[in-house]
Amino acid sequence: MSRVTGAQETPDGVRATVKSLVTGEETLLDAGVVVFATGYSPADPLGLLGEVADRCLSDDEGRVRVERDYRVATDPDLRCGIYLQGGTEHTHGITTSLLSNTAIRVGEILDSLFDRGLKSASDEARPVADGSTARQSAHGEG
């Protein structure tokens, strides 16, 4: 991570001073132009769920816990599945938001839906992307 701390117009363009937010080191960069971007903050999917959001599990930073199959980890009494198409960068990495991954993600969600519908009810633990587990209810849902 870095921050532009200065910019001066030069005969050939712009000389920008960029400071590393990790090391504090400053670097001078000569460029034709400078483009400032605000970055990206994913939306919190729980805001769309109303009262059901209270049944979704969160990690230590307050972000929704998402299983490997893109299903939101929920308390055992919630008998439906909530799957995410987006908002999973914190569990699945930054490439999860790429459109080129959409077909793969949809396939993984579809496989999960079929697998969960075909499995008999059990009390087995399901893996969560953060390495912990969520317990299934007697209805095979979590």
Side-chain angles (χ1 to χ4, degrees), residues 7-16 29-34:
Q8 290 184 328
E9 189 173 357
T10 66
D12 296 326
V14 179
R15 173 167 282 169
L29 296 175
D30 291 317
V33 296
V34 174

Side-chain angles (χ1 to χ4, degrees), residues 7-111:
Q8 290 184 328
E9 189 173 357
T10 66
D12 296 326
V14 179
R15 173 167 282 169
T17 305
V18 180
K19 182 176 183 176
S20 168
L21 298 178
V22 177
T23 65
E25 179 183 358
E26 290 192 342
T27 304
L28 293 177
L29 296 175
D30 291 317
V33 296
V34 174
V35 177
F36 289 93
T38 60
Y40 172 75
S41 296
D44 180 5
L46 296 182
L48 301 172
L49 297 177
E51 292 179 17
V52 174
D54 294 337
R55 313 279 297 276
C56 298
L57 304 179
S58 298
D59 66 13
D60 292 339
E61 295 182 36
R63 301 171 299 192
V64 65
R65 285 181 44 201
V66 183
E67 299 173 15
R68 176 64 191 101
D69 60 0
Y70 297 93
R71 183 176 168 141
V72 174
T74 60
D75 73 41
D77 296 328
L78 191 63
R79 296 185 52 200
C80 67
I82 302 168
Y83 290 83
L84 296 180
Q85 279 275 31
T88 58
E89 291 84 355
H90 66 287
T91 56
H92 289 69
I94 195 161
T95 61
T96 192
S97 62
L98 298 176
L99 291 176
S100 60
N101 288 334
T102 301
I104 293 169
R105 183 172 48 248
V106 167
E108 290 177 356
I109 292 171
L110 187 59
D111 286 346

